[in-house]
Amino acid sequence: MISFALVPVSTGQARTISQTEQSLVDVINETRTSYGLHPLARDPRLDHWARYHSDQMIKQRRLAHTVQLGALPGQVIGENLAWCSSWLRVRMVVDAWLKSPEHRANLLRPGFRLIGVGVAIGPLDGVENSRVVTVDFSGT
């Protein structure tokens, strides 16, 4: 497996797209196209919310879904979360999501058009350098 560089928890400053975040988008889009679906486009609003949510989960030291994406009226929103206790292996995360009916439905929803990704590192469940992933989807 390949390990990727990760971005530390945000300090309030704007973050650039990390290699891991982009790798997640790439693997998700490869998966979608292998099922005959269109790839998803990154959306800065969704990236913002996904990063914020990952950061908040680290700060609160708990993994939980949230309903904070009301900024996209008329859209269907989906969210997949992942937690890794050490190195994040993107392909393993996506493969695990494909095995879960709810996560699979988000990954392969034909009406989704946009994606946002956030990865944060910090203490969670007794592991000091946990990796927390939020992927937000939007569309119809």
Side-chain angles (χ1 to χ4, degrees), residues 16-29:
T16 58
I17 296 168
S18 76
Q19 181 181 357
T20 300
E21 290 170 339
Q22 187 58 53
S23 293
L24 277 162
V25 173
D26 292 344
V27 172
I28 288 168
N29 280 335

Side-chain angles (χ1 to χ4, degrees), residues 14 20 88 91 104 127:
T20 300
L88 178 66
R91 181 71 60 188
R104 181 184 181 90
V127 178

Side-chain angles (χ1 to χ4, degrees), residues 74-130:
Q75 297 291 306
V76 173
I77 303 294
E79 181 173 78
N80 285 1
L81 303 178
W83 170 77
C84 302
S85 60
S86 60
W87 292 105
L88 178 66
R89 289 175 175 84
V90 172
R91 181 71 60 188
M92 287 177 63
V93 169
V94 173
D95 287 346
W97 285 338
L98 285 170
K99 293 175 185 170
S100 159
E102 296 85 5
H103 295 99
R104 181 184 181 90
N106 283 337
L107 283 173
L108 302 180
R109 184 180 179 96
F112 282 153
R113 298 281 184 246
L114 303 174
I115 190 171
V117 179
V119 177
I121 303 172
L124 185 69
D125 200 27
V127 178
E128 192 60 31
N129 290 309
S130 295

Side-chain angles (χ1 to χ4, degrees), residues 46-65:
L46 292 176
D47 278 339
H48 168 79
W49 286 114
R51 288 172 175 164
Y52 177 79
H53 189 205
S54 289
D55 288 349
Q56 289 302 305
M57 287 188 287
I58 290 292
K59 287 177 185 173
Q60 296 169 5
R61 295 183 181 215
R62 67 184 183 95
L63 197 67
H65 287 284

